[in-house]
Amino acid sequence: METLSIGQYDLIYNAFSFGFATLAAATLFFWLGIGQVKQQYKTAMVVTGLVTFIAAYHYFRIGQSWSEAYVLAEGAYNATDKGFNSAYRYVDWLLTVPLLLVELILVMSLTRSETVSRATRLGLLALIMVALGYPGEVAESGSVRWIFGLLSMVPFLWIVYELYVGLGKAIESQPENARGLVKAARNVTVVSWFFYPIVYFAGAIGIEGATATVIVEVGYTIADLVAKAGFGVLIFLIAMRKSEEPDGQKRQTVPA
Amino acid sequence: METLSIGQYDLIYNAFSFGFATLAAATLFFWLGIGQVKQQYKTAMVVTGLVTFIAAYHYFRIGQSWSEAYVLAEGAYNATDKGFNSAYRYVDWLLTVPLLLVELILVMSLTRSETVSRATRLGLLALIMVALGYPGEVAESGSVRWIFGLLSMVPFLWIVYELYVGLGKAIESQPENARGLVKAARNVTVVSWFFYPIVYFAGAIGIEGATATVIVEVGYTIADLVAKAGFGVLIFLIAMRKSEEPDGQKRQTVPA
């Protein structure tokens, strides 16, 4: 039965609360910003807020589950029979990870057919990637964790390929004032997503017990905040920049 | 083990509830006001409301944690093993204190590059300031509290310098009808922030036990309300004043 020190337990608890607060605030920030972007970027902002909303909900639940999973006795926290529900994370990712890629596609405002085909392909790959990770996450044996982890890397690398090669030309043809930000958003996606397999395999290379629990829970939380809230801020900035572009004549200059 | 009188316990409990109510109401006030200010000040209002939203969440949690941290027995409140989670405050400040400075920068509507550079610098300094305070706050020994408290004063004084010297010229070139309010907002930031180290060091100069707990918890609550809700009202007034300006003569440079 796993035992955590009070400091370890509190660190994870506070990381979850921090996660909830950040994601809930980010959601409101994105949705309150909808009115500030042009028509064609509003759906991107809605979806950006949906991702952080879904994640905020799950962090709230994760925090509750955490409180019920351990009981304080004689100066340490001992795992209860109930256990911590790590499935919340995977349920979250099943929904949010495909949507994160949809955000990026939407804010690029490609042609309709290209939007549909790329969003569908990337979304499906993301779904498969998350689904393949789960059996490894809950496995008792390290080798099962390895097998599913490696399987899950296949769609992950395919996504990376799609983002760099498949979307390369579309990114180069973004308006100049937003191109750098679109590239940054793509890079943040890939870099922050690389953090997940690192945390995942930490459980497979022999790091065990309380230390592993701290690394996994705090690590996933940081990765989630960068990949969802941080990434979302980039999407918001892209939408704002692109909304400044003259749209035909839409914006008349007011004489001074 | 710490014991509080019923009066002391209730005073702190009610301060937390007062804090939640004020911050939640302030949040709604700021967001409902977004429609009343011009486009370029809307993000400032969104962020102003985010700060009080995040703080309201934490005051709600702080109140819950307070209830679980003491148990009433024989006419007094005795600390339970669970303890009061003072990390909520620091998690809150990590998010809100940088955002408070961002609010002030945003409502000034500087050039984009100046906004980004000043907001980044001030935000990072604020983050470091809060992070340095935490180890001292939870330390058992008074000397550790002193060391981290003094370390944390370095970024604090740097922020004060930035606000008075770095931002001096930009404040002088604010539209005349808002200049006084911008100065007031800056002064409120500095004065209300000075309250935190005073409360912090109250725990280091030998004030102990129940009295120290009352001073720290009620003191931080008052400081939070002034620095977040009170300061936010000033930001709202600035945004309203500046929205009255005709849009043509955007900003006349006033010679310093």
Side-chain angles (χ1 to χ4, degrees), chain A residues 6 144 230:
Chain A
I6 292 180
V144 175

Side-chain angles (χ1 to χ4, degrees), chain B residues 127-150:
Chain B
L127 210 74
I128 296 168
M129 174 179 78
V130 173
L132 282 173
Y134 187 63
E137 183 81 49
V138 294
E140 293 290 320
S141 96
S143 60
V144 175
R145 202 178 176 94
W146 273 108
I147 291 167
F148 282 96
L150 291 174

Side-chain angles (χ1 to χ4, degrees), chain A residues 11-34:
Chain A
L11 177 65
I12 294 174
Y13 179 85
N14 290 316
F16 292 158
S17 176
F18 178 74
F20 171 77
T22 307
L23 292 162
T27 304
L28 293 160
F29 178 74
F30 301 138
W31 286 345
L32 290 166
I34 293 172

Side-chain angles (χ1 to χ4, degrees), chain A residues 177-221:
Chain A
N177 67 347
R179 203 179 301 148
L181 282 170
V182 175
K183 283 185 188 168
R186 175 194 53 191
N187 297 342
V188 164
T189 305
V190 174
V191 171
S192 67
W193 287 20
F194 253 114
F195 209 68
Y196 293 93
I198 292 173
V199 174
Y200 182 95
F201 286 117
I205 58 166
I207 300 176
E208 273 182 356
T211 313
T213 304
V214 173
I215 292 176
V216 168
E217 299 308 335
V218 176
Y220 278 151
T221 303

